[in-house]
Amino acid sequence: MLGTIWINLGLGVLAFIVTLAAAGAGNVWLVSFVRAGIAFAVFFLAAFPIRWVLAIITHTTASPVGEAGEAASGEPVAPLENPQQDSNREDPEESFSPLSLSKMEKIQPIEDPTTVAEVVRRLSDE
């Protein structure tokens, strides 16, 4: 999941304070504390599915490689080698070719512009 339990606690405490301040103006202090406690519990528990959905949206996953370049088992991870990179390092000017107009594809419009104009005119008249 995205983040830690501190996000849930922070959201719960923020809801507690806001609810206590709002309910304290017109209620007895015990009622204000009960309502603030309920708001804390609701927001604390609501943060779990929110964090879960955000983790799905952003596709965050735990990396098996640690900070020091070691795997989760503690063994060092060897860098990936690409034989094409080695050949590119030797002669970089031969591998570079600028983009020419013949390589670019021209995108054809799906509809004829006159047909689109007629449809827009019909829709704007209605």
Side-chain angles (χ1 to χ4, degrees):
M1 264 197 291
L2 185 67
T4 61
I5 195 75
W6 293 108
I7 294 173
N8 294 50
L9 287 173
L11 193 62
V13 168
L14 180 68
F16 181 87
I17 292 170
V18 169
T19 305
L20 185 64
N27 295 314
V28 181
W29 66 272
L30 185 61
V31 173
S32 300
F33 274 116
V34 169
R35 290 181 180 170
I38 292 171
F40 173 83
V42 168
F43 277 81
F44 179 82
L45 294 175
F48 282 109
I50 291 170
R51 285 177 31 207
W52 180 67
V53 168
L54 285 175
I56 290 175
I57 290 172
T58 59
H59 300 291
T60 56
T61 57
S63 175
V65 177
E67 292 178 8
E70 295 180 350
S73 63
E75 299 174 7
V77 178
L80 297 175
E81 295 182 15
N82 190 353
Q84 292 177 348
Q85 278 184 333
D86 295 335
S87 65
N88 287 344
R89 288 182 191 159
E90 294 170 3
D91 213 358
E93 292 190 18
E94 288 183 10
S95 64
F96 176 74
S97 62
L99 183 63
S100 64
L101 293 177
S102 62
K103 291 182 182 178
M104 295 176 58
E105 295 180 16
K106 186 174 182 180
I107 299 173
Q108 298 293 332
I110 298 172
E111 296 291 334
D112 184 35
T114 56
T115 308
V116 173
E118 289 175 13
V119 170
V120 170
R121 283 187 201 118
R122 274 189 253 142
L123 290 175
S124 62
D125 288 340
E126 294 177 1

